[in-house]
Amino acid sequence: MGIGEAWQSAAADLVVGADCAGCGSPGLDWCHACAAACRPAPRLVPGAADVPVLAVVDNVGPAARVVVAWKDRGRLRLTRPLGHLLAVGCATAPFEGRTGLVPVPTARAQVRRRGADPVRLLAERAARDLVAVGLDATALPALRRVRSTRDQAGLGALERRTNVAGAFAADPAVVARCVRAGIEEVIVVDDVLTTGASVREAVRALAAAGVRTSAVVVVAHTPRPGPGPG
Ligand SMILES: [Zn+2]
């Protein structure tokens, strides 16, 4: 495996210093002004899946830029502030006893290219933040991709649904571990919610393996364009 983009980006940051991923100002990966603009405000996204779906911020402005820098440009140090936003959302979700945070699996080609699965890192970071405030959470990478899918960017709602239908399956070994650990319900987590096709497929694949999803929590929600002429 070659050197992942994350390492190249980290190396570049060490040499030239970081710019804020939200506004480009020099000095910090994520400046105080952008952090203040993206204060967590978890709210329900109605109709996105058959379980409650919570989004922590809107996928606009600095929030949208930080997600792109983190996911598409390999700035994985941003997992920390994004994981914190996700943790705040999870703490607001229906949450009882020990809870597993199940990341929506990233496409294998993207994991190879980036040198890591960013959403899995996000789940791990959020679980650590929840444990730090006394909640019993653990990252549970229970889903894997069983077939390849097209990049969802640019696809409409129906195309996205068809694209991911049957694409995920629960890993029986992880499900067994979940049962042994006394985890009865899980929260599905992802970075961005657009139409909800991926999280619905995740909930379906978990249910097919007998795992109940109590809620879906995403960092950012891309507001749908209003009904226009066509
Ligand atoms: Zn900034």
Side-chain angles (χ1 to χ4, degrees):
M1 188 189 286
I3 297 172
E5 282 178 7
W7 287 97
Q8 292 177 27
S9 159
D13 282 355
L14 285 171
V15 175
V16 299
D19 287 345
C20 171
C23 66
S25 67
L28 291 171
D29 277 320
W30 186 223
C31 78
H32 299 303
C34 286
C38 297
R39 205 153 273 151
R43 56 183 169 66
L44 282 168
V45 182
D50 295 334
V51 298
V53 177
L54 283 158
V56 182
V57 294
D58 280 337
N59 191 32
V60 294
R65 290 191 289 272
V66 72
V67 170
V68 169
W70 166 75
K71 199 170 191 182
D72 296 338
R73 307 211 181 108
R75 289 182 64 175
L76 291 182
R77 284 189 302 184
L78 296 164
T79 302
R80 194 187 183 101
L82 291 171
H84 177 71
L85 292 176
L86 186 65
V88 173
C90 290
T92 320
F95 198 112
E96 232 175 89
R98 186 141 220 242
T99 298
L101 308 186
V102 179
V104 169
T106 305
R108 274 192 217 109
Q110 288 176 33
V111 173
R112 267 200 304 276
R113 189 157 54 80
R114 290 165 186 157
D117 179 341
V119 182
R120 182 171 174 169
L121 297 177
L122 196 64
E124 289 168 356
R125 181 74 230 177
R128 276 204 293 274
D129 282 4
L130 289 165
V131 167
V133 295
L135 292 169
D136 194 359
T138 183
L140 199 69
L143 292 173
R144 53 196 165 80
R145 294 202 172 228
V146 289
R147 65 170 177 78
S148 56
T149 53
R150 291 162 64 197
D151 189 343
Q152 298 272 81
L155 299 185
L158 188 62
E159 290 172 303
R160 281 170 182 250
R161 199 179 304 174
T162 316
N163 188 34
V164 297
F168 305 157
D171 180 338
V174 180
V175 172
R177 212 172 71 210
C178 171
V179 171
R180 279 199 304 275
I183 295 171
E184 292 180 358
E185 284 189 333
V186 299
I187 294 177
V188 167
V189 298
D190 205 354
D191 53 347
V192 173
L193 180 87
T194 305
T195 63
S198 298
V199 296
R200 272 198 298 274
E201 168 59 14
V203 172
R204 182 210 62 77
L206 288 165
V211 179
R212 210 155 74 84
T213 302
S214 62
V216 170
V217 179
V218 299
V219 174
H221 173 226
T222 305
R224 277 175 127 156

